[in-house]
Amino acid sequence: MSAKIIDGKILAAEVKSCAAQAVRFLQERYGITPCLAVLLVGDDPASQVYVRGKANDCEACGIESRVIRLPAGTTQAELLARLGTLAADSAVHGILVQLPLPRHIDPAAVIEAIPPEKDVDGFTPVNAGRLLNGEPCFAPCTPAGCLRMIEAAGVDLDGKHAVVVGRSNIVGKPAALLLMQKNATVTVCHSHTRDLAAVCRTADILIAAVGKARFITADMVKPGAVVIDVGINRGADGKLHGDVDFAPVSEIASYITPVPGGVGLMTRAMLMLNTVQAAAPKTAGDLGFSVKNPVRF
Ligand code: NDP
């Protein structure tokens, strides 16, 4: 068997075009232009690239972006003060703080200072709690993107066994909750899981969010499984590798996401949708639109 590739490029472009359409709707109907503020502390090169990417995505969707670059020596109090100003600014609809922060700043304290209604990354405890309770919320963009990819491939999650490898607050745990909301039976694995390969082999849907290149090998995958690779690992060759050993696994899986060109692009696109939704008056309803089938054959 050779897996079909769920193409993040095609799907992210569709999601961003939906976001752009929603921006035009908000401008015409309500005179609102969504605005995303991104706070970047320090000069971490990877973070600089991510922030530039987010600003480009905003521009492509017609979303205003404000990138606030602060020096590495910024104190926690100074950062919280900047956040307070953005929180009070009614022209700013979404706020995100680029992680990681310098060591002297407590990320939890900073994230908690983002008002939940502007928390387009979905990282605040309020949005995490709402997700847990199955209430309307901003779900974190990476797992939301994974779900979008699975659904776009036409895979029905109802009653399926989904195995998530990784239990971080930003990927593994919210992915498990979103899968559960879709009536999947979910197993979450981590570094203490016994006989991980055997557990993974029971998965109809396997989400890898481990942070180790080519960690999921072909012997860990059930024939016909849907494999979603969240991992982004830079190899010694300077290239990006996923958590999944792509070539052999794609001989076994039914669907697979590539790295690069997969979940990473969807994460960025879902941020645009969340920002548009944050700008929408409550009466505008859900602007998320459904996305057509992006599977590349
Ligand atoms: P974390 O390091 O926070 O979490 C990794 C998880 O993997 C932990 O739960 C850890 O278990 C588990 N793990 C580590 N080693 C093993 C092992 N040997 N067996 C089983 N489980 C193991 O990472 P993130 O969740 O933040 O990110 C995961 C990957 O996804 C990274 O490559 C990251 O770069 C990428 N990523 C990609 C994004 C995208 O847009 N595509 C967005 C965010 C992340 P334990 O809890 O026990 O330590």
Side-chain angles (χ1 to χ4, degrees), residues 142 165-168 170-172 189-192 196 209-212 215 230-233 243 263-264 267:
T142 299
V165 189
R167 58 174 165 179
S168 71
I170 62 169
V171 188
C189 301
H190 44 75
S191 65
H192 296 247
L196 181 69
V210 188
K212 293 186 172 156
F215 181 80
V230 179
I232 299 180
N233 311 287
D243 287 347
V263 175
T267 297

Side-chain angles (χ1 to χ4, degrees), residues 143 147 164 166 171-181 184 186-188 207:
L147 265 282
V164 182
V171 188
K173 280 185 207 161
L177 293 170
L178 289 169
L179 288 160
M180 213 188 316
Q181 272 178 16
V186 183
T187 302
V188 179
I207 298 194

Side-chain angles (χ1 to χ4, degrees), residues 3-6 213-218 227 229 241-253 255-260 296:
K4 290 171 184 154
I5 291 173
I6 307 175
R214 301 192 188 97
F215 181 80
I216 301 290
T217 46
V227 179
D229 191 351
H241 301 279
D243 287 347
V244 174
D245 197 6
F246 184 83
V249 170
S250 55
E251 289 301 313
I252 291 168
Y255 292 94
I256 192 166
T257 64
V259 177
R296 189 176 71 203

